Every structure is written in C-alpha cells, then in structure tokens.
Amino acid sequence: MDPGIPVPPELYGGHERLVHLFAEEYTRLGHQVTLLAGPDSRCSGDVVTFGTNDLQRSNIKKYKEVFFVWKYLSKTYNNFDLIHNFGRLIYLLPVLNKPVKKIMTYGRPVSHTGIKLANALPNKNLIFTACSDSCVSTGNVAGNWKTVYNAIDFSAYQINEIMASDAPLIFLGRLDKVKGVHTAIKAAKNTENKLLIAGNISHTSDNYTYFKNEIEPQIDGVQVEYVGPLNDAEKNRYLGQAKALLFPIEWDEPFGIVMIEAMACGTPVIGFRRGSVPEVITEGVNGFIVQNAEEMSEKISLLGTIDRNHCREVALNRFDVKIIAQQYLKVFND
C-alpha cells in the first residue's frame, strides 16, 4: 500500500481501510500476512513500514518509496505465494517476470499507459483487478482483468430497523463538487427533509471555493447541518439514524464504499446512475437509481417501501469482507 495514510486510517482512507480488512481476514483464515505500508500501520501479521504519511509529500520522497519497495521485493519475493498490490503498479517492476503470483488492484480510474507498458514487458502470473465493472472498463486494454468489489466488515455496523418519519437524510463523502452535495441539499429542501452533511472539506482551491460559496451559506444548523468528518463509530451512528444516504455523484465513482456502509446499517441509498452505482444498488431493495435531483426527490417518498433488514442482508451477502476475501483467494487459486 502507498504511504501517505496509515493502515488502517483514523478517518479518511478507503483503500487503507480495505487493506487492513483483508490483512486481518487472511490472518483469521490461517494465512501468514506481511503488510507493507506507511508509518504507524498495523495488522495482526508482520508489518514493514516505509515512506512518509503525508499526502502532499514531494516527488523525491515518492521516488525513494519506489526504490525501497523494489529493494524489499527483490530480496523477499521468494518468501511469498502472493503479492497483492493496492499501491502503485511500478512497485511490481522487479517481480513482473518472477513466478510469484501477483494481483494488482485498482480503486480508481486506470491509466492505460502503465497497463500497456506492464503487459509489453515479460511477465508471469499477473492478474489485474478493479472494484467494479465500471472501473475495470477504464483499464482493460491489456492483460487479464477481473472485477472484485470493495468490502466492509458488516459485523462492525449495527442495523437500525425502525425509522421515524422525520428522520434525516444524510450525505457522507468529501465535500467536492463532483460528489454532488449541492444536489443533496436541493433534494432535501424539495422534500422538506433535514439533511446531515458529513465529510472532509477539501483544501484544493476550486473545491474549497465551491464549499465556501455554494455549500456553507446553506448550512443553517436546522434543516441543513454539517457534522464534520466522521470516524468509524460516528459513521455507524449517523448512517443508522438516517432514512437514506443521498449519493448524487457527478463523476464515474469507481465504487463508493459509503454506499455499503449505509446498507450495513439498513439505510437505503439513492444514487445517480454513474460509475458503479448500478452495480451496487439493487433497485427497490436497498435503494433507488436516479438521473437527477428531481427523480431523487421523488424516490425519497418511497423509502418506506424498503425493508431495512433485507437492505442489509442483500448487501452483506455481496460485500462483506469474508465474501470478498474469498473472491480474491479464488483469483489467486485460479
């Protein structure tokens, strides 16, 4: 895993949380696991740390990280049956043509250049995976690709079966324009519902300006309330008390872990038909797929038709870490 955020993360860090979940599940199944990640990372197996936990670190530091991984894998690859890389593809360069099995996993849109180059070089036992069919389609220009969805530990989330009619809606995610929080506010106001907004305020100039100009003026603490970034316990509480998660994305989100976090609490999701949304939401079972703010507003009135127990059960059977870990092991065994 790339340095920058420790594994597991305290707040933001979807991929880092995934890596920790899989490391723990593989250890529980009896496998020997070594985690290679940034400082302060931990798991029940062995841990080797490198680099700096700083998302704004310099390119020089990133080059040093690559050299560290090259040196480490060149010395140790024979110790492993599988090298599962959630970090940069370039990390695998020294072992591309070694017999050790390798899974390269993507959770974001994929650069064609790196994929074509890796497959043009001599290589053995290299499988590419991505977290949705939508994400696979961005990189499937060469090599062997499979879809393996993202996961959460459903046992860490408690279902809230009974929902009051005046329960709030919730938006949870980075407060970037492409995440569509402005649309969530519009849908809440259209239907006279309270909206809880949770997530990190972006520090990029364009998204910070977007938050200050378009979002912050609408936060009144009454109908629209900002509750800040949430840790895992707070996510459980806030998602569980909401009648629905609004997911009005304006880009092709590769997966959107927050959707299954909501479903684990029994909370349905109303999401725009972009990226992985049609793969994650089962229409009328654990949410609704819509095209715009008007359709989102209409579906809010149908939330009472969704059985929150069934909402959780369907998602659990598809996205629990025990299910997804077995899918990765099947990729390895195949």
Side-chain angles (χ1 to χ4, degrees), residues 66-143:
V66 171
F67 292 136
F68 179 93
V69 176
W70 284 357
K71 183 177 179 181
Y72 178 81
L73 289 181
S74 295
K75 289 182 175 180
T76 64
Y77 71 88
N78 275 326
N79 297 339
F80 304 112
D81 297 311
L82 169 67
I83 298 173
H84 193 170
N85 184 18
F86 284 81
R88 300 170 65 187
L89 174 60
I90 198 171
Y91 289 160
L92 296 179
L93 186 59
V95 295
L96 272 181
N97 203 37
K98 303 298 184 183
V100 59
K101 294 185 179 181
K102 297 163 286 285
I103 298 176
M104 177 67 223
T105 291
Y106 287 94
R108 59 184 68 87
V110 183
S111 166
H112 288 183
T113 302
I115 301 302
K116 290 179 179 178
L117 179 59
N119 283 283
L121 295 171
N123 66 84
K124 296 175 184 175
N125 297 329
L126 174 62
I127 300 290
F128 296 93
T129 71
C131 58
S132 63
D133 292 342
S134 174
C135 192
V136 165
S137 72
T138 69
N140 193 7
V141 292

Side-chain angles (χ1 to χ4, degrees), residues 71-322:
K71 183 177 179 181
Y72 178 81
L73 289 181
S74 295
K75 289 182 175 180
T76 64
Y77 71 88
N78 275 326
N79 297 339
F80 304 112
D81 297 311
L82 169 67
I83 298 173
H84 193 170
N85 184 18
F86 284 81
R88 300 170 65 187
L89 174 60
I90 198 171
Y91 289 160
L92 296 179
L93 186 59
V95 295
L96 272 181
N97 203 37
K98 303 298 184 183
V100 59
K101 294 185 179 181
K102 297 163 286 285
I103 298 176
M104 177 67 223
T105 291
Y106 287 94
R108 59 184 68 87
V110 183
S111 166
H112 288 183
T113 302
I115 301 302
K116 290 179 179 178
L117 179 59
N119 283 283
L121 295 171
N123 66 84
K124 296 175 184 175
N125 297 329
L126 174 62
I127 300 290
F128 296 93
T129 71
C131 58
S132 63
D133 292 342
S134 174
C135 192
V136 165
S137 72
T138 69
N140 193 7
V141 292
N144 188 354
W145 284 81
K146 297 183 184 296
T147 296
V148 183
Y149 290 122
N150 284 343
I152 61 172
D153 179 4
F154 273 69
S155 69
Y157 294 82
Q158 284 74 51
I159 187 168
N160 189 350
E161 300 179 37
I162 307 299
M163 193 56 49
S165 60
D166 61 348
L169 302 163
I170 190 168
F171 171 95
L172 174 57
R174 283 196 324 275
L175 304 185
D176 294 355
K177 188 169 184 179
V178 296
K179 296 288 190 174
V181 64
H182 54 285
T183 304
I185 293 173
K186 181 178 180 181
K189 289 184 173 180
N190 284 348
T191 57
E192 298 182 350
N193 277 281
K194 180 173 181 175
L195 177 68
L196 301 176
I197 298 173
N200 298 63
I201 298 171
S202 177
H203 294 292
T204 62
S205 59
D206 55 342
N207 283 309
Y208 185 74
T209 300
Y210 159 74
F211 174 78
K212 298 298 287 186
N213 292 346
E214 296 187 43
I215 304 305
E216 191 172 55
Q218 300 192 73
I219 297 173
D220 57 13
V222 181
Q223 185 175 15
V224 180
E225 180 181 357
Y226 176 55
V227 297
L230 305 180
N231 61 31
D232 289 347
E234 291 168 331
K235 278 185 189 178
N236 202 344
R237 177 161 60 91
Y238 280 106
L239 288 170
Q241 74 182 39
K243 68 172 67 173
L245 170 76
L246 302 186
F247 198 69
I249 52 172
E250 296 184 356
W251 75 301
D252 291 329
E253 184 99 21
F255 188 80
I257 290 177
V258 66
M259 289 192 285
I260 57 175
E261 290 175 327
M263 293 171 187
C265 298
T267 301
V269 181
I270 306 177
F272 277 13
R273 189 182 293 276
R274 296 288 302 266
S276 66
V277 167
E279 299 176 56
V280 177
I281 296 176
T282 302
E283 180 74 18
V285 174
N286 50 25
F288 301 101
I289 303 167
V290 299
Q291 304 282 6
N292 50 48
E294 289 68 32
E295 290 186 11
M296 178 168 278
S297 300
E298 292 171 5
K299 294 299 183 182
I300 288 172
S301 65
L302 299 179
L303 290 170
T305 64
I306 291 182
D307 182 314
R308 291 176 70 94
N309 279 298
H310 193 45
C311 170
R312 174 185 164 94
E313 181 184 6
V314 168
L316 182 151
N317 289 333
R318 296 183 66 204
F319 304 116
D320 185 64
V321 64
K322 293 180 175 61

